[in-house]
Amino acid sequence: MTIKVAVAGASGYAGGEILRLLLGHPKYLSGELEIGALTAGSSAGTPFHEVMPQFPQLADRVLEDTTPEVLAGHDVVFLGLPHGHSAEIGRQLSDETVVIDCAADFRLRDKGEWAHYYGGEHAGTWPYGIPEMPGHREEIANATRIAVPGCFPTGATIAMLPAVAAGLITPDIAFVSVTGVSGAGKKAAVPLLGAEMMGNLRAYNTSGRHRHTPEIAQNLSEVTDEDINVSFTPVLAPLPRGILTTASAPLKEGVTADAAYETYRAFYSDEPFVHLLPEGHQPQTQAVLGSNMCHVQVEVDGRAGRLVVTAALDNLTKGTGGAAVQCMNLALGLPETAGLPQVGVAP
Amino acid sequence: MTIKVAVAGASGYAGGEILRLLLGHPKYLSGELEIGALTAGSSAGTPFHEVMPQFPQLADRVLEDTTPEVLAGHDVVFLGLPHGHSAEIGRQLSDETVVIDCAADFRLRDKGEWAHYYGGEHAGTWPYGIPEMPGHREEIANATRIAVPGCFPTGATIAMLPAVAAGLITPDIAFVSVTGVSGAGKKAAVPLLGAEMMGNLRAYNTSGRHRHTPEIAQNLSEVTDEDINVSFTPVLAPLPRGILTTASAPLKEGVTADAAYETYRAFYSDEPFVHLLPEGHQPQTQAVLGSNMCHVQVEVDGRAGRLVVTAALDNLTKGTGGAAVQCMNLALGLPETAGLPQVGVAP
Amino acid sequence: MTIKVAVAGASGYAGGEILRLLLGHPKYLSGELEIGALTAGSSAGTPFHEVMPQFPQLADRVLEDTTPEVLAGHDVVFLGLPHGHSAEIGRQLSDETVVIDCAADFRLRDKGEWAHYYGGEHAGTWPYGIPEMPGHREEIANATRIAVPGCFPTGATIAMLPAVAAGLITPDIAFVSVTGVSGAGKKAAVPLLGAEMMGNLRAYNTSGRHRHTPEIAQNLSEVTDEDINVSFTPVLAPLPRGILTTASAPLKEGVTADAAYETYRAFYSDEPFVHLLPEGHQPQTQAVLGSNMCHVQVEVDGRAGRLVVTAALDNLTKGTGGAAVQCMNLALGLPETAGLPQVGVAP
Amino acid sequence: MTIKVAVAGASGYAGGEILRLLLGHPKYLSGELEIGALTAGSSAGTPFHEVMPQFPQLADRVLEDTTPEVLAGHDVVFLGLPHGHSAEIGRQLSDETVVIDCAADFRLRDKGEWAHYYGGEHAGTWPYGIPEMPGHREEIANATRIAVPGCFPTGATIAMLPAVAAGLITPDIAFVSVTGVSGAGKKAAVPLLGAEMMGNLRAYNTSGRHRHTPEIAQNLSEVTDEDINVSFTPVLAPLPRGILTTASAPLKEGVTADAAYETYRAFYSDEPFVHLLPEGHQPQTQAVLGSNMCHVQVEVDGRAGRLVVTAALDNLTKGTGGAAVQCMNLALGLPETAGLPQVGVAP
């Protein structure tokens, strides 16, 4: 039996990353997974190789329109559409189709937060695709509708989940996440030009304006009754891919460095895609490039009285497309790690 | 009358930057400033053009040994030596010579901090070269021994000085500073290789281990009686030059965004090298590349209850060599801005 | 007497670079040069700081429309407009105004080449702004209309001019020029995005399709009667600025490495902006970043029987804006090097 | 039956790339391939995770000494050692062990070339690992000693092999290859520092001095009786991985663009790792990053009378480690493409 997969938004970075992983997936290599429709918005009608030259195998494909008709008849449909487009499409696909949405549409539970950060009608909430969060793996495995998390919330959540769950900190957390430029998407805009971004660093959507802020708070709230306070500062840096998240928060009294490290070790000991580094070593994004891994370190800053956590992931892999394929694996009952690299392309 | 200037450590990045600025200085262009000895450590004896090909004007120079004899007879001596070498050299130079030290040797006032972070004997404390700190401009103008600040403390201090001085915040401050790679200096080491750093982000010397931590705290303590608590996380990013400092701290009750902005505006209104950006715009390092400017923005994150400040500078210019020349100008009674670019090399 | 200068196309990279140099020009610093109108196309009406945050001194300016009326009344007008717009504007400005055009409109002499490479009507030919070409310095000094050369032709011409003039080679020359991304200009387009260009190398406009091909041939033809054959391959590399030109051609019999080097040394011995490196050293773009220099090396490849020349320049400085200011200095009778850095911003 | 594989020089870039590919190889994932000894030179005794943090699966390994004893008892031994060390090791390993050498030791056939370019005794010649060269696939499949080609020769050979074989050109070929910095290897040296290489372009080992020059000539000579003349200019550009080779040569009379394209199409139509792009599109290194692909384009420059070919590959994958694994697959009778990505990690 062949699994037939469509990718809506195949001209974008999320869609491209999903395809890259699918073409290396053991089910594809054995002929049991087939790439069906590849759709786009304004690029519909364009030969696929013109927008994605890295896929010689799909060089004869042409991008189709993103319509329910084109996407019908697939076992899995990945949606890599701009925010606000997934709800309508999702509604019209069969309930038996596994629909995995990379946009924000179905991530938030709070209508007020949705209205404040995205505007328009709240489409609803789908099972949220971080299998490493307690209970989520099982929920995803039983779902046919899955919301892939944002790239920043993935790193921030993995960084602080054990600390919040175990009460190591007062959850008044300052996150600063440095990101490669692909996180901004594939849209023609002067501030995203190579000449504007190379040799340059700048923060943006600071002071709680970034739409990932409420998503981070929502995730961490799942494992505590305390109020979560999130300060989130994203910084653009000149590399194509990668997010390095730094997080710090006031340490609760009596928490030692050893206890903190052991909490993290135990929390992630069975996770195939989270790697707590040996003590004394810091995560780096190069070590996870193109992989589905998140590398983590946790330390105590005794002088400042804070817990300091750092986490590295590839925003397009574990941060988007890899998480999407990981969720597909779970939803289809395949091995969770199938087709997902665990070694980064370093150097 | 000609000003004769020597640069000790002319083979390093700090020394090179000082020379770049001196060769564009109006006193040099008019023949009133002369480049004397260029010295080095292990590179002594090497033709200067082999280590610094960007100086055709100095292509016939040879690096000399860093000795008091070679450095004697100059009006100004810049020291760009590894930490721990300036004290001995400084002692042997004439009291009338203006000695400007780019190393850490004379920055800290607290012997305990020195011992903890650097080890060895505390050499003493020289006037500290951030003219933008209250009282420092005058002190530098009257000094013949000046300690140039570290690159991170310069950005962190400019970012938070007005807030601390005006009591806008509880001074429990989380700094995350993203830096270009030249900050690590010009030493052959595998982790500093291009292949290890391009396409890569990583934090280092986290959790209070970075030697600039006590320097930041010392600076901010000058303008308040409150205890300063500093959490400092440096992050390496793949660009040659530039530091983007993000700083946040709990806002004191009743402080509005307008009040915070006005505090910063007033604090820096007469400073030639600090530019508070128009509201709504974020600093970027490209805009200050090769210049002596520090661009700043201040905001209130109402959701998180924090003041959020960002600051961009070039670690080799305002962060080191530009600050050194700015101090030289003050100490010699020249216009403070002479020879110091105020426009960044963007894009 | 104050020199009043306007920049048309001040929102673009060429315009920005001209302004950066003008603001460091001794005539500006002494108050004898004034920045007049700053104009743009679609950005007219925009506050200047929004498109050029690196100019705090001009932060209160607003971009005006590019019209003859706005540009009238200046002593110097720099045109940094898209190709095809300069002719009409130029015609309407006073004959006494020094008009310096950074577009291609007035570079080519051959109407057929113009028609083939640019299309539309040939506007004419202005004195061509490479003062290092024999006779050009004098022509520029007497001109009020000057065509600034393309960035690739500047490097290619400086690289091969002495060899062609001296007959060292059969002028069947293969140029491959690797360029930073700012050469593509400041236009929103997906292939120019940071994510598309970082970590990437690609050739473009290969096989004689690049518009700079006939300009290179025209320049080299000025110093020989032989037919010039140019193969030109531009390659995009992930850096903001810089062009590294490699050029090779069959060596004529009997030409030695020493003779070739001596030919170049003699040819450029009096040029302030061309630096022939000591033998055995290769030019690098970092050494000329932000400067008006072109660094050159010439070698003989005995095995292949070819002369191999390499040249490094900053495409926005010596390649565009610096050349424009160099021409302004000549046309106004100022020292040719005024305001033009001779030291690159390295590292 | 399990295939036991050792990697000598596992601390270097070639060794790391081989391991990355092996850990994604289907035989490893099915438990039929086992990673045996990991050895190093000066890093012997170091925990593997300290030099290669991207391998959580191997985090408990320690680098061993590179001795015949340690390497004995494996089915496959990859040698990623500095030039000159493979001969001795290779001699002491069992004839039945498949030994795949990534150094230059066994690539050249001509003793004089070896002496000129490498010095010391010529170790001999092993079957040469570009399966895409006529006859080589079969030779490799029957070999237990294989010499992996240099990264530059791989691109240059694939670029020009069809043209030389079909006599499209006079084989007087100018190659300019722009390379990412990992090609220089993982050795601590100031010119390889990130700060020296970011934002920088420079040629090196020009004019026939690069050791890959005779290897390119040797390869192309296999398919023609004409004398091959190679001019080779390598250029360092600021990216971690990737080589963009440009090659041009005088076109023989009567060769049309269509004929040239068809020659290339036919030559590579069955090759899984060579992709001739659709006409009008240029190869880019991002599209092959981390993959074993070489993307190629061929054009005719009618104006200059030259054939112009461009080729993109990842110097560590198809240029080294991927070629090594491709050869292992052939030598072991596994499917040639097993474990070798055919999609680049773009963007």
PDB file of all heavy atoms in Angstrom, chain B residues 278-304:
ATOM      1  N   PRO B 278      14.920  56.857  15.769  1.00  0.00           N
ATOM      2  CA  PRO B 278      13.505  57.230  15.856  1.00  0.00           C
ATOM      3  C   PRO B 278      12.690  56.045  16.378  1.00  0.00           C
ATOM      4  O   PRO B 278      13.031  54.886  16.115  1.00  0.00           O
ATOM      5  CB  PRO B 278      13.137  57.555  14.400  1.00  0.00           C
ATOM      6  CG  PRO B 278      14.432  57.897  13.735  1.00  0.00           C
ATOM      7  CD  PRO B 278      15.469  57.076  14.415  1.00  0.00           C
ATOM      8  N   GLU B 279      11.641  56.331  17.100  1.00  0.00           N
ATOM      9  CA  GLU B 279      10.830  55.254  17.679  1.00  0.00           C
ATOM     10  C   GLU B 279      10.322  54.305  16.583  1.00  0.00           C
ATOM     11  O   GLU B 279      10.002  54.724  15.479  1.00  0.00           O
ATOM     12  CB  GLU B 279       9.646  55.856  18.438  1.00  0.00           C
ATOM     13  CG  GLU B 279      10.096  56.598  19.691  1.00  0.00           C
ATOM     14  CD  GLU B 279       8.937  57.254  20.439  1.00  0.00           C
ATOM     15  OE1 GLU B 279       8.224  56.546  21.159  1.00  0.00           O
ATOM     16  OE2 GLU B 279       8.764  58.482  20.283  1.00  0.00           O
ATOM     17  N   GLY B 280      10.292  53.043  16.922  1.00  0.00           N
ATOM     18  CA  GLY B 280       9.803  52.051  15.971  1.00  0.00           C
ATOM     19  C   GLY B 280      10.895  51.456  15.097  1.00  0.00           C
ATOM     20  O   GLY B 280      10.630  50.551  14.309  1.00  0.00           O
ATOM     21  N   HIS B 281      12.111  51.947  15.226  1.00  0.00           N
ATOM     22  CA  HIS B 281      13.213  51.424  14.406  1.00  0.00           C
ATOM     23  C   HIS B 281      14.253  50.749  15.300  1.00  0.00           C
ATOM     24  O   HIS B 281      14.562  51.245  16.364  1.00  0.00           O
ATOM     25  CB  HIS B 281      13.844  52.545  13.591  1.00  0.00           C
ATOM     26  CG  HIS B 281      12.900  53.117  12.581  1.00  0.00           C
ATOM     27  ND1 HIS B 281      12.796  52.645  11.302  1.00  0.00           N
ATOM     28  CD2 HIS B 281      11.959  54.080  12.690  1.00  0.00           C
ATOM     29  CE1 HIS B 281      11.844  53.308  10.652  1.00  0.00           C
ATOM     30  NE2 HIS B 281      11.324  54.192  11.469  1.00  0.00           N
ATOM     31  N   GLN B 282      14.784  49.649  14.829  1.00  0.00           N
ATOM     32  CA  GLN B 282      15.758  48.880  15.596  1.00  0.00           C
ATOM     33  C   GLN B 282      17.167  49.099  15.052  1.00  0.00           C
ATOM     34  O   GLN B 282      17.361  49.163  13.835  1.00  0.00           O
ATOM     35  CB  GLN B 282      15.413  47.381  15.528  1.00  0.00           C
ATOM     36  CG  GLN B 282      14.302  46.972  16.481  1.00  0.00           C
ATOM     37  CD  GLN B 282      14.729  47.074  17.937  1.00  0.00           C
ATOM     38  OE1 GLN B 282      15.878  46.803  18.283  1.00  0.00           O
ATOM     39  NE2 GLN B 282      13.809  47.489  18.798  1.00  0.00           N
ATOM     40  N   PRO B 283      18.147  49.185  15.949  1.00  0.00           N
ATOM     41  CA  PRO B 283      19.546  49.315  15.517  1.00  0.00           C
ATOM     42  C   PRO B 283      19.982  48.117  14.695  1.00  0.00           C
ATOM     43  O   PRO B 283      19.484  47.002  14.899  1.00  0.00           O
ATOM     44  CB  PRO B 283      20.334  49.338  16.835  1.00  0.00           C
ATOM     45  CG  PRO B 283      19.343  49.592  17.905  1.00  0.00           C
ATOM     46  CD  PRO B 283      18.018  49.121  17.404  1.00  0.00           C
ATOM     47  N   GLN B 284      20.912  48.326  13.782  1.00  0.00           N
ATOM     48  CA  GLN B 284      21.518  47.209  13.080  1.00  0.00           C
ATOM     49  C   GLN B 284      23.014  47.462  12.959  1.00  0.00           C
ATOM     50  O   GLN B 284      23.458  48.595  12.795  1.00  0.00           O
ATOM     51  CB  GLN B 284      20.877  46.953  11.727  1.00  0.00           C
ATOM     52  CG  GLN B 284      20.504  48.156  10.901  1.00  0.00           C
ATOM     53  CD  GLN B 284      19.642  47.750   9.706  1.00  0.00           C
ATOM     54  OE1 GLN B 284      19.977  46.812   9.001  1.00  0.00           O
ATOM     55  NE2 GLN B 284      18.558  48.443   9.499  1.00  0.00           N
ATOM     56  N   THR B 285      23.775  46.392  13.028  1.00  0.00           N
ATOM     57  CA  THR B 285      25.226  46.573  13.080  1.00  0.00           C
ATOM     58  C   THR B 285      25.786  47.078  11.759  1.00  0.00           C
ATOM     59  O   THR B 285      26.794  47.775  11.733  1.00  0.00           O
ATOM     60  CB  THR B 285      25.950  45.269  13.461  1.00  0.00           C
ATOM     61  OG1 THR B 285      25.705  44.280  12.471  1.00  0.00           O
ATOM     62  CG2 THR B 285      25.496  44.767  14.819  1.00  0.00           C
ATOM     63  N   GLN B 286      25.140  46.726  10.645  1.00  0.00           N
ATOM     64  CA  GLN B 286      25.624  47.179   9.350  1.00  0.00           C
ATOM     65  C   GLN B 286      25.663  48.716   9.278  1.00  0.00           C
ATOM     66  O   GLN B 286      26.542  49.279   8.627  1.00  0.00           O
ATOM     67  CB  GLN B 286      24.686  46.641   8.267  1.00  0.00           C
ATOM     68  CG  GLN B 286      25.276  46.560   6.898  1.00  0.00           C
ATOM     69  CD  GLN B 286      24.230  46.157   5.877  1.00  0.00           C
ATOM     70  OE1 GLN B 286      23.181  46.792   5.757  1.00  0.00           O
ATOM     71  NE2 GLN B 286      24.500  45.108   5.140  1.00  0.00           N
ATOM     72  N   ALA B 287      24.723  49.344   9.933  1.00  0.00           N
ATOM     73  CA  ALA B 287      24.639  50.810   9.876  1.00  0.00           C
ATOM     74  C   ALA B 287      25.774  51.489  10.630  1.00  0.00           C
ATOM     75  O   ALA B 287      25.980  52.697  10.482  1.00  0.00           O
ATOM     76  CB  ALA B 287      23.289  51.278  10.415  1.00  0.00           C
ATOM     77  N   VAL B 288      26.504  50.740  11.445  1.00  0.00           N
ATOM     78  CA  VAL B 288      27.612  51.339  12.200  1.00  0.00           C
ATOM     79  C   VAL B 288      28.964  50.717  11.830  1.00  0.00           C
ATOM     80  O   VAL B 288      29.987  51.061  12.427  1.00  0.00           O
ATOM     81  CB  VAL B 288      27.388  51.212  13.730  1.00  0.00           C
ATOM     82  CG1 VAL B 288      26.121  51.963  14.143  1.00  0.00           C
ATOM     83  CG2 VAL B 288      27.306  49.750  14.166  1.00  0.00           C
ATOM     84  N   LEU B 289      28.972  49.853  10.835  1.00  0.00           N
ATOM     85  CA  LEU B 289      30.211  49.135  10.471  1.00  0.00           C
ATOM     86  C   LEU B 289      31.349  50.109  10.151  1.00  0.00           C
ATOM     87  O   LEU B 289      31.225  50.979   9.296  1.00  0.00           O
ATOM     88  CB  LEU B 289      29.946  48.238   9.256  1.00  0.00           C
ATOM     89  CG  LEU B 289      31.155  47.463   8.733  1.00  0.00           C
ATOM     90  CD1 LEU B 289      31.608  46.404   9.718  1.00  0.00           C
ATOM     91  CD2 LEU B 289      30.844  46.833   7.390  1.00  0.00           C
ATOM     92  N   GLY B 290      32.447  49.941  10.849  1.00  0.00           N
ATOM     93  CA  GLY B 290      33.618  50.780  10.591  1.00  0.00           C
ATOM     94  C   GLY B 290      33.493  52.182  11.134  1.00  0.00           C
ATOM     95  O   GLY B 290      34.410  52.985  10.984  1.00  0.00           O
ATOM     96  N   SER B 291      32.367  52.496  11.765  1.00  0.00           N
ATOM     97  CA  SER B 291      32.165  53.833  12.336  1.00  0.00           C
ATOM     98  C   SER B 291      32.326  53.782  13.846  1.00  0.00           C
ATOM     99  O   SER B 291      32.358  52.705  14.439  1.00  0.00           O
ATOM    100  CB  SER B 291      30.764  54.346  11.992  1.00  0.00           C
ATOM    101  OG  SER B 291      29.826  53.894  12.958  1.00  0.00           O
ATOM    102  N   ASN B 292      32.384  54.945  14.448  1.00  0.00           N
ATOM    103  CA  ASN B 292      32.513  54.997  15.910  1.00  0.00           C
ATOM    104  C   ASN B 292      31.167  55.181  16.601  1.00  0.00           C
ATOM    105  O   ASN B 292      31.104  55.520  17.769  1.00  0.00           O
ATOM    106  CB  ASN B 292      33.462  56.142  16.301  1.00  0.00           C
ATOM    107  CG  ASN B 292      34.064  55.958  17.677  1.00  0.00           C
ATOM    108  OD1 ASN B 292      34.538  54.860  17.994  1.00  0.00           O
ATOM    109  ND2 ASN B 292      34.022  56.988  18.509  1.00  0.00           N
ATOM    110  N   MET B 293      30.088  54.924  15.872  1.00  0.00           N
ATOM    111  CA  MET B 293      28.748  55.158  16.402  1.00  0.00           C
ATOM    112  C   MET B 293      28.238  53.973  17.220  1.00  0.00           C
ATOM    113  O   MET B 293      28.594  52.823  16.975  1.00  0.00           O
ATOM    114  CB  MET B 293      27.768  55.388  15.251  1.00  0.00           C
ATOM    115  CG  MET B 293      28.090  56.565  14.362  1.00  0.00           C
ATOM    116  SD  MET B 293      28.076  58.155  15.236  1.00  0.00           S
ATOM    117  CE  MET B 293      26.358  58.252  15.766  1.00  0.00           C
ATOM    118  N   CYS B 294      27.351  54.303  18.135  1.00  0.00           N
ATOM    119  CA  CYS B 294      26.530  53.291  18.789  1.00  0.00           C
ATOM    120  C   CYS B 294      25.070  53.698  18.585  1.00  0.00           C
ATOM    121  O   CYS B 294      24.671  54.784  18.997  1.00  0.00           O
ATOM    122  CB  CYS B 294      26.862  53.206  20.282  1.00  0.00           C
ATOM    123  SG  CYS B 294      25.921  51.942  21.155  1.00  0.00           S
ATOM    124  N   HIS B 295      24.304  52.848  17.903  1.00  0.00           N
ATOM    125  CA  HIS B 295      22.881  53.122  17.673  1.00  0.00           C
ATOM    126  C   HIS B 295      22.064  52.411  18.751  1.00  0.00           C
ATOM    127  O   HIS B 295      22.349  51.257  19.095  1.00  0.00           O
ATOM    128  CB  HIS B 295      22.461  52.629  16.296  1.00  0.00           C
ATOM    129  CG  HIS B 295      22.924  53.500  15.167  1.00  0.00           C
ATOM    130  ND1 HIS B 295      22.411  53.427  13.892  1.00  0.00           N
ATOM    131  CD2 HIS B 295      23.845  54.491  15.120  1.00  0.00           C
ATOM    132  CE1 HIS B 295      23.011  54.306  13.102  1.00  0.00           C
ATOM    133  NE2 HIS B 295      23.893  54.968  13.828  1.00  0.00           N
ATOM    134  N   VAL B 296      21.067  53.104  19.266  1.00  0.00           N
ATOM    135  CA  VAL B 296      20.326  52.597  20.421  1.00  0.00           C
ATOM    136  C   VAL B 296      18.822  52.722  20.201  1.00  0.00           C
ATOM    137  O   VAL B 296      18.364  53.647  19.550  1.00  0.00           O
ATOM    138  CB  VAL B 296      20.717  53.411  21.696  1.00  0.00           C
ATOM    139  CG1 VAL B 296      19.954  52.924  22.922  1.00  0.00           C
ATOM    140  CG2 VAL B 296      22.217  53.334  21.944  1.00  0.00           C
ATOM    141  N   GLN B 297      18.085  51.763  20.751  1.00  0.00           N
ATOM    142  CA  GLN B 297      16.631  51.906  20.847  1.00  0.00           C
ATOM    143  C   GLN B 297      16.183  51.450  22.218  1.00  0.00           C
ATOM    144  O   GLN B 297      16.791  50.547  22.800  1.00  0.00           O
ATOM    145  CB  GLN B 297      15.914  51.079  19.757  1.00  0.00           C
ATOM    146  CG  GLN B 297      14.412  51.280  19.686  1.00  0.00           C
ATOM    147  CD  GLN B 297      13.981  52.737  19.543  1.00  0.00           C
ATOM    148  OE1 GLN B 297      13.966  53.497  20.521  1.00  0.00           O
ATOM    149  NE2 GLN B 297      13.678  53.135  18.322  1.00  0.00           N
ATOM    150  N   VAL B 298      15.145  52.101  22.753  1.00  0.00           N
ATOM    151  CA  VAL B 298      14.604  51.715  24.056  1.00  0.00           C
ATOM    152  C   VAL B 298      13.088  51.563  23.932  1.00  0.00           C
ATOM    153  O   VAL B 298      12.428  52.382  23.296  1.00  0.00           O
ATOM    154  CB  VAL B 298      14.974  52.750  25.146  1.00  0.00           C
ATOM    155  CG1 VAL B 298      14.494  54.150  24.781  1.00  0.00           C
ATOM    156  CG2 VAL B 298      14.411  52.336  26.500  1.00  0.00           C
ATOM    157  N   GLU B 299      12.566  50.502  24.510  1.00  0.00           N
ATOM    158  CA  GLU B 299      11.134  50.224  24.422  1.00  0.00           C
ATOM    159  C   GLU B 299      10.623  49.667  25.749  1.00  0.00           C
ATOM    160  O   GLU B 299      11.400  49.174  26.567  1.00  0.00           O
ATOM    161  CB  GLU B 299      10.856  49.158  23.354  1.00  0.00           C
ATOM    162  CG  GLU B 299      11.184  49.565  21.942  1.00  0.00           C
ATOM    163  CD  GLU B 299      10.949  48.447  20.939  1.00  0.00           C
ATOM    164  OE1 GLU B 299      10.870  47.271  21.363  1.00  0.00           O
ATOM    165  OE2 GLU B 299      10.833  48.748  19.745  1.00  0.00           O
ATOM    166  N   VAL B 300       9.318  49.716  25.896  1.00  0.00           N
ATOM    167  CA  VAL B 300       8.679  49.074  27.037  1.00  0.00           C
ATOM    168  C   VAL B 300       7.887  47.872  26.536  1.00  0.00           C
ATOM    169  O   VAL B 300       7.101  47.985  25.589  1.00  0.00           O
ATOM    170  CB  VAL B 300       7.771  50.078  27.780  1.00  0.00           C
ATOM    171  CG1 VAL B 300       6.787  49.353  28.691  1.00  0.00           C
ATOM    172  CG2 VAL B 300       8.625  51.053  28.574  1.00  0.00           C
ATOM    173  N   ASP B 301       8.139  46.716  27.142  1.00  0.00           N
ATOM    174  CA  ASP B 301       7.343  45.527  26.843  1.00  0.00           C
ATOM    175  C   ASP B 301       6.266  45.438  27.930  1.00  0.00           C
ATOM    176  O   ASP B 301       6.504  44.937  29.036  1.00  0.00           O
ATOM    177  CB  ASP B 301       8.246  44.282  26.865  1.00  0.00           C
ATOM    178  CG  ASP B 301       7.480  42.996  26.577  1.00  0.00           C
ATOM    179  OD1 ASP B 301       6.229  43.007  26.644  1.00  0.00           O
ATOM    180  OD2 ASP B 301       8.133  41.972  26.293  1.00  0.00           O
ATOM    181  N   GLY B 302       5.109  45.956  27.614  1.00  0.00           N
ATOM    182  CA  GLY B 302       4.040  46.040  28.608  1.00  0.00           C
ATOM    183  C   GLY B 302       3.577  44.669  29.070  1.00  0.00           C
ATOM    184  O   GLY B 302       3.264  44.453  30.250  1.00  0.00           O
ATOM    185  N   ARG B 303       3.529  43.724  28.146  1.00  0.00           N
ATOM    186  CA  ARG B 303       3.079  42.377  28.470  1.00  0.00           C
ATOM    187  C   ARG B 303       3.981  41.726  29.520  1.00  0.00           C
ATOM    188  O   ARG B 303       3.509  41.122  30.483  1.00  0.00           O
ATOM    189  CB  ARG B 303       3.096  41.563  27.182  1.00  0.00           C
ATOM    190  CG  ARG B 303       2.610  40.144  27.344  1.00  0.00           C
ATOM    191  CD  ARG B 303       2.723  39.380  26.003  1.00  0.00           C
ATOM    192  NE  ARG B 303       2.333  37.999  26.203  1.00  0.00           N
ATOM    193  CZ  ARG B 303       1.284  37.420  25.632  1.00  0.00           C
ATOM    194  NH1 ARG B 303       0.515  38.101  24.811  1.00  0.00           N
ATOM    195  NH2 ARG B 303       0.993  36.157  25.890  1.00  0.00           N
ATOM    196  N   ALA B 304       5.297  41.873  29.297  1.00  0.00           N
ATOM    197  CA  ALA B 304       6.254  41.224  30.198  1.00  0.00           C
ATOM    198  C   ALA B 304       6.678  42.136  31.346  1.00  0.00           C
ATOM    199  O   ALA B 304       7.363  41.684  32.261  1.00  0.00           O
ATOM    200  CB  ALA B 304       7.489  40.778  29.428  1.00  0.00           C
TER     201      ALA B 304
END
